[in-house]
Amino acid sequence: MVHAVRNIDTLAQMQKQMEKEGNRLGSIIALRSLGERMRNESRFEEALSVHSEGLRQAEAIGDTLEWVRALNNIGTNYRRMGMLDVAQVYHYNAWKLSEESTDTSHNARKNRVVSLNGLGNIYMTLGNYERADSMLRMALAGERQLGSMLGQAINYANLGSIFEHHGEMDSARLYYDKSMTLNIEVGSTLGISLCHTYFGSLYEKEGKYNEATAEYQAAYRLMQASKDEWHALNTLIALAGIYNETGDNVKAMDYLSTARQVAQKIKSPEHLVEIYTLYYRYYKRLGDYRTALLSFEQAIAMQDSVLDMEKMNRIQNASLNIERNRQKQKMTEARLKLEQERAARHTAYAIIVSVVIILIGALVTFLYIQRILRRKNIAP
């Protein structure tokens, strides 16, 4: 019922009505959907407020599934806002709650996978690719078990980015191809657009600027009608970068100006770091070193607002806790398996001993009966 409502204002009214009528679960589901739609329109602060209320209501009725969903949604909102340390806390708490839960339903397992993907994205942004790879591969395995093609597409693309960072272009292309195939199959316009951007990045690194530009333009066309400005910024920045690389100053400045306006409007410091870095490269190429330096300083200042050493340490410490818990869980599982094997062996030994005793008893009884029979036959 909630998902059938397309208009955000209508959905907000429906949520209020459900809350008024005492339909608490309906209210929580409506808040979740409402916040997700706001986030998809880059209305992050509103989405954060709505999802926070959903979290409060889920906690109040003790609904673990919706509780974890709200934590993950809040974590994603904070990631889009560039507040990685806060985002990490919410994704980590969602993961921890999922691990502690005995619920093995499809939705419960999906919640855990979403938590891992969120953490993987944070570690990628931090540049901790080893930790990101670990999280994303666990997320991919979980999506395979759930049979989610879209979930697999997202994780294949993220893992492809890690390969690209390491300079393993063939592996990156293989993973991007897998992501594109799955995105086409499920009809994800966003996913297809992102894959075009990824392919463009590979071509750009190979110096194939015409092919790169074509991929970026294909991505841009797909995102033009979208209200998801956060993701659309990736294509604007990519086009600005390729035109700067090829010396097309007019187009480079056009896309850079548009990207900066959008990033400032939706308050995305993560994108502004990339944009000011491109301004730095642009003015440096033109020999305007004073403006280049100013742009560079803006990029650094914006980067510090996204992540300083204190925030990074908090995030890394939490990632270590996850790894320790994962290793502890593996140790526990191994110990239980060993104990089960020992118990099975002891049971087998007990059965064998029992069978041997029974056989011996039967043999003794048989021999005893035979002896009695022989005596009877001998007796006159």
Side-chain angles (χ1 to χ4, degrees), residues 107-137:
N107 288 335
R109 288 183 291 149
K110 183 69 175 181
N111 281 345
R112 176 181 176 274
V113 167
V114 171
S115 306
L116 290 169
N117 176 267
L119 290 165
N121 274 283
I122 290 171
Y123 299 135
M124 270 208 303
T125 304
L126 286 174
N128 188 339
Y129 293 101
E130 183 180 353
R131 192 76 68 193
D133 185 86
S134 174
M135 295 292 167
L136 293 170
R137 287 193 183 279

Side-chain angles (χ1 to χ4, degrees), residues 154 211 254 338 370:
I154 292 169
E211 290 88 341
D254 183 36
L338 183 61
Q370 290 297 315

